[in-house]
Amino acid sequence: MIERLSGVEEEFLTVESQLTDPEVLADPTRLRDASRRYKELTPVVEAYRAYVGRQADLTAATELIADAAGDDREHLRGEIDAAEADLDRLEDQLRVLLLPHDPNDGRAVIVEIRGAEGGAEANLFARDLMQMYQAHASRKGWSVETLSTDLSDLGGVNQVTFVVRGDDAWSGLKFEGGTHRVQRVPVTESQGRIHTSSATVLVLPEAEEVEVEIDPNDLQIDVYRSSGPGGQGVNTTDSAVRITHKPTGLVVAMQDERSQLQNRAKAMQVLRARLRKLREDEQAAQLSAERRAQVGGGGRGEKIRTYNFKENRVTDHRIGFTIYRLQDVLAGDLDDVVGALAADERARQLTGQV
């Protein structure tokens, strides 16, 4: 591991020099890639340099203790013990830092939430999840841009799509894709009975235009008059856009903006993300592979997480993690849940299960 780290430090120095190279500074793509790589390598190199420093301290103290006596010997023994403890800690830290890097780290995240089983209650729960993620983003300092919203009766949402931007947005949201189940007394329930409903969450890393080449001839673009709330301009002009990617059958529709051009740009943004993920997962061999992998059919039995109001409980079924702070979680405090999922991922990586 230590031999490998010397090569990591050499790469770090190369990237560091690139960030002062006029040619790199003049090329937005190269500059973005170099900046991203520099940020990834910095904590590794810092820990490696600390390790080398403490190794030198240990060597020096070990050489000196042979000729030391009395208080000097005791002092050096303390230095040796401290250096050995630091080296063990730094080795563990470096093992984690050298785990395979998620190539989507640093990307913006497209989140799509839909009500699934449970009728009006499912749509109300979809709204609660939307607000939970938006509150979580605010706590983390991430920005949120709503791409599309389809409101339902009683103030819920049939479907909402938004993009979250932040350096660590992907690492903080990548575990959220799947079917989320809620157990509570719905506002529509007059007998006080607890109902079980569900909503699906789809999480995609945003794809850059240069990564996904889309042949215009593969697109069917339909325009139509928007429906639902949105103001006079939205409802009286053919501003809504529906884009169908004919080779895969993927369909993306946008209608929130007054401008047909703006709706088309947002639809293409979502389409690129879906196509990129589809290509990564199954080389575009099956329609909606990523959606099925994450959200299945939206059934209650396919849940990844349960929100139980009576018990004030949130349980993530993938790792058996439970926390009894449901209202805090719904208010955007997802740190404990995400931290447990990230720790599980690291543990599986360290044991070669990932």
Side-chain angles (χ1 to χ4, degrees), residues 103-122:
N104 293 318
D105 282 348
R107 291 182 182 272
V109 184
I110 293 176
V111 180
E112 178 186 288
I113 305 172
R114 294 176 182 268
E117 292 188 351
E121 167 65 3

Side-chain angles (χ1 to χ4, degrees), residues 50-286:
Y51 182 92
V52 171
R54 291 306 275 156
Q55 184 67 62
D57 294 340
L58 176 61
T59 300
T62 302
E63 291 174 351
L64 290 171
I65 199 171
D67 299 322
D71 291 343
D72 288 342
R73 187 176 183 84
E74 287 300 315
H75 175 73
L76 288 168
R77 171 48 59 191
E79 285 289 319
I80 290 172
D81 291 343
E84 288 176 341
D86 286 344
L87 288 170
D88 288 342
R89 174 181 57 80
L90 288 166
E91 280 188 15
D92 291 340
Q93 182 180 345
L94 285 164
R95 282 193 193 91
V96 173
L97 289 170
L98 287 173
L99 290 173
H101 177 69
D102 190 325
N104 293 318
D105 282 348
R107 291 182 182 272
V109 184
I110 293 176
V111 180
E112 178 186 288
I113 305 172
R114 294 176 182 268
E117 292 188 351
E121 167 65 3
N123 294 331
L124 289 170
F125 181 50
R127 178 204 61 192
D128 293 342
L129 291 177
M130 174 191 72
Q131 294 173 344
M132 177 182 76
Y133 291 128
Q134 291 176 345
H136 184 59
S138 178
R139 292 168 62 96
K140 293 295 185 180
W142 305 332
S143 66
V144 178
E145 176 191 0
T146 300
L147 300 180
S148 175
T149 308
D150 179 13
L151 301 177
S152 70
D153 296 336
L154 303 178
V157 293
N158 294 314
Q159 178 269 330
V160 61
T161 304
F162 52 91
V163 58
V164 183
R165 293 186 173 87
D167 289 343
D168 54 349
W170 173 254
S171 61
L173 293 172
K174 66 180 180 180
F175 302 110
E176 296 305 304
T179 297
H180 295 240
R181 181 177 72 170
V182 63
Q183 295 173 325
R184 65 183 176 187
V185 178
V187 294
T188 55
E189 170 58 51
S190 59
Q191 303 297 319
R193 293 172 296 190
I194 294 175
H195 287 225
T196 298
S197 304
S198 64
T200 61
V201 179
L202 179 66
V203 179
L204 297 170
E206 186 179 38
E208 295 165 11
E209 194 165 349
V210 295
E211 293 179 290
V212 180
E213 294 185 8
I214 300 177
D215 186 342
N217 294 322
D218 289 340
L219 301 179
Q220 176 182 321
I221 302 176
D222 301 306
V223 296
Y224 56 98
R225 187 159 298 177
S226 300
S227 60
Q232 182 177 357
V234 170
N235 292 316
T236 60
T237 63
D238 290 336
S239 58
V241 174
R242 181 190 302 109
I243 299 179
T244 303
H245 186 250
K246 290 183 283 188
T248 62
L250 285 174
V251 178
V252 180
M254 291 288 164
Q255 68 170 21
D256 282 17
E257 300 295 339
R258 292 175 179 270
S259 162
Q260 183 184 123
L261 189 63
Q262 289 174 309
N263 282 323
R264 177 169 174 165
K266 287 185 174 183
M268 289 298 295
Q269 181 182 10
V270 175
L271 180 61
R272 279 194 298 270
R274 290 185 180 179
L275 286 173
R276 179 180 182 272
K277 196 60 178 172
L278 202 60
R279 180 191 64 195
E280 287 180 352
D281 288 349
E282 298 189 31
Q283 299 297 309
Q286 295 182 354

Side-chain angles (χ1 to χ4, degrees), residues 19-30:
L19 292 174
T20 61
D21 186 333
E23 291 187 6
V24 175
L25 294 173
D27 185 331
T29 300
R30 292 180 65 189

